[in-house]
Structure formats: structure tokens, C-alpha cells
Amino acid sequence: MVMKILEIRNLAKKETHLHYRNEYSGSLVYSFSGGEEEAELVFSLERTATGQKHISITFPGSIHYPLIPAIRKVKEYVIELENRGALI
């Protein structure tokens, strides 16, 4: 039962007054055990003073997958999006 992230639909950047912090929302589309699910997602990407990236993930609704592994997978996916320049 391995989670596979397919995409984040309706990705929207929220306006913030902090240049080092970006906040986003959207719908996470993922699959596991042959089924496809969708869950509401909110995340932030913050750069620390040392240049590290801190990613915070929340699911305002429910997600039908264990929370800790889901957060880990989404963080990896967000880093991949950011490295490709796909985040607005």
C-alpha cells in the first residue's frame, strides 16, 4: 500500500507579506491500492536564515492514508515542484 502522488489540482498561492514564506492551497490527487483519492491540501514553503527550506503540510479535511507517511510524500513532491520551478 504505497502512496503515489498524481498531481496537485487548483494550486493557488496565497498573498503574504513575508518574502521568505510562500503559502499555497490546492487539491492533492493520489492513489494507493489501485484506487484514486483527492484531499484538500494547504502547505507553506519557508526559507530560513541559513538557506534551508522548511515545508509545512496540513490537510484541512481528511485523508484516507496514514498521516505521517502522507506528509512525508507530499513534502518530497513539493520540493520536486519547487526545484522544477512549477510553484507560482
Side-chain angles (χ1 to χ4, degrees):
M1 181 167 88
V2 176
M3 175 187 216
K4 181 178 179 187
I5 298 177
L6 304 175
E7 67 175 317
I8 297 177
R9 289 186 186 147
N10 305 318
L11 183 63
K13 184 177 178 180
K14 297 179 181 180
E15 293 298 321
T16 64
H17 298 289
L18 303 173
H19 70 280
Y20 57 88
R21 181 180 173 93
N22 294 317
E23 297 179 5
Y24 302 87
S25 64
S27 295
L28 176 69
V29 180
Y30 63 99
S31 67
F32 71 97
S33 298
E36 190 173 300
E37 299 276 339
E38 190 167 344
E40 188 178 348
L41 169 71
V42 175
F43 66 93
S44 64
L45 180 64
E46 184 172 340
R47 295 192 194 289
T48 65
T50 60
Q52 295 178 322
K53 297 175 190 172
H54 177 73
I55 300 171
S56 174
I57 308 287
T58 56
F59 298 100
S62 62
I63 185 167
H64 297 102
Y65 196 81
L67 189 59
I68 301 299
I71 289 173
R72 189 176 313 122
K73 281 285 196 180
V74 173
K75 283 183 179 183
E76 291 170 4
Y77 189 77
V78 166
I79 289 171
E80 182 181 310
L81 287 176
E82 208 258 335
N83 288 340
R84 286 189 315 197
L87 293 178
I88 308 166

